[in-house]
Amino acid sequence: MPVLIGVFGGEEDFVNTLKEMVAGKTVGTHPVAVRHFSTVDNLAACHLVFFRASERKSTAAAIASLKGSSLLVGEDPAFLRDGGMINLILDKGKIQFEVDQTALDRSNIRFSAALLSRAKTSSGSANPHSNAPRVVPAKVSPEYPEIARQMNLKGSVQLEVLVGRDGVVKDVKVLGGHPLLADALLRVVRQWRYEQGAKESIELVRYSFEQ
């Protein structure tokens, strides 16, 4: 059974180029195949669906019809708001990506923390991201774990923090970093108190541990 990539909308030239790119490729023992779709019929059979920006008017309805059965990738600023999971963006000549973690969680799709740490902060996601980072008036920094010092562990940790309207931290997810360092930052961030906001928000926290 092949791993099926569906392309929703767009021109045939793009689909042909994609077919050439995956020709002979496999995922485990499964070959990779590409099909072009102009309607939602049979789209649910795809393991991954790439939505072309030209189909933005029908994207939300198409995503709703899939009911979380596929990995949904797009290339439009509104794609994550429409229910997409990964959106590709061009930033300074390089292709970057942004992720809607809530949409991934609903579909039980899991990516490694290392991969998620490379995602850009989304301004178009269905997640309640604030327009500007909320401030922690009295921020306490984490202590460098002694065991990490002995192991000569260094590097950055990135967390995703769900903050209530009252500024209380409601949930924290690790997006990247060594578990020992991440645990040290987690313990501190859970005690932070952010400034009050108009609504619940998701804040990104990055901290670099250096000896």
Side-chain angles (χ1 to χ4, degrees), residues 95-167:
I95 296 179
Q96 308 278 355
F97 68 97
E98 52 188 5
V99 173
D100 187 324
Q101 186 63 54
T102 301
L104 290 173
D105 289 344
R106 283 198 300 265
S107 299
N108 292 318
I109 296 176
R110 299 287 183 266
F111 288 103
S112 68
L115 178 62
L116 291 175
S117 68
R118 299 180 181 180
K120 293 181 66 66
T121 303
S122 167
S123 59
S125 169
N127 286 337
H129 285 278
S130 58
N131 293 326
R134 290 166 69 176
V135 175
V136 182
K139 183 182 295 185
V140 178
S141 298
E143 293 185 4
Y144 202 112
E146 182 58 33
I147 187 172
R149 191 184 305 279
Q150 294 173 6
M151 296 172 63
N152 196 31
L153 290 178
K154 296 184 291 185
S156 297
V157 174
Q158 179 169 297
L159 306 179
E160 182 182 83
V161 185
L162 177 61
V163 184
R165 293 175 58 186
D166 57 0

Side-chain angles (χ1 to χ4, degrees), residues 24-95:
K25 299 292 194 302
T26 61
V27 177
T29 59
H30 302 280
V32 180
V34 177
R35 285 185 58 190
H36 197 189
F37 295 85
S38 57
T39 68
V40 298
D41 296 338
N42 301 316
L43 201 60
C46 300
H47 299 91
L48 183 154
V49 182
F50 183 59
F51 291 82
R52 301 308 311 275
S54 59
E55 309 305 308
R56 58 173 58 91
K57 291 184 179 179
S58 54
T59 293
I63 289 176
S65 72
L66 293 174
K67 298 179 180 179
S69 60
S70 311
L71 177 63
L72 310 178
V73 183
E75 57 177 358
D76 185 76
F79 183 67
L80 298 186
R81 289 199 300 270
D82 288 336
M85 300 174 184
I86 297 176
N87 191 48
L88 305 181
I89 53 178
L90 189 63
D91 183 23
K92 298 178 181 179
K94 295 183 179 180
I95 296 179

Side-chain angles (χ1 to χ4, degrees), residues 10-25:
E11 62 283 348
E12 195 69 34
D13 287 348
F14 174 85
V15 178
N16 291 335
T17 299
L18 188 57
K19 287 181 178 179
E20 293 176 3
M21 291 176 61
V22 303
K25 299 292 194 302

Side-chain angles (χ1 to χ4, degrees), residues 145-206:
E146 182 58 33
I147 187 172
R149 191 184 305 279
Q150 294 173 6
M151 296 172 63
N152 196 31
L153 290 178
K154 296 184 291 185
S156 297
V157 174
Q158 179 169 297
L159 306 179
E160 182 182 83
V161 185
L162 177 61
V163 184
R165 293 175 58 186
D166 57 0
V168 174
V169 172
K170 301 175 67 176
D171 189 32
V172 185
K173 293 181 180 179
V174 178
L175 300 183
H178 191 281
L180 280 174
L181 302 179
D183 183 65
L185 185 59
L186 270 170
R187 290 199 302 268
V188 171
V189 170
R190 287 195 178 108
Q191 302 175 40
W192 284 2
R193 186 68 177 259
Y194 284 78
E195 62 182 2
Q196 294 188 2
K199 59 182 180 180
E200 193 175 83
S201 68
I202 292 178
E203 309 295 326
L204 290 182
V205 175
R206 296 183 180 89

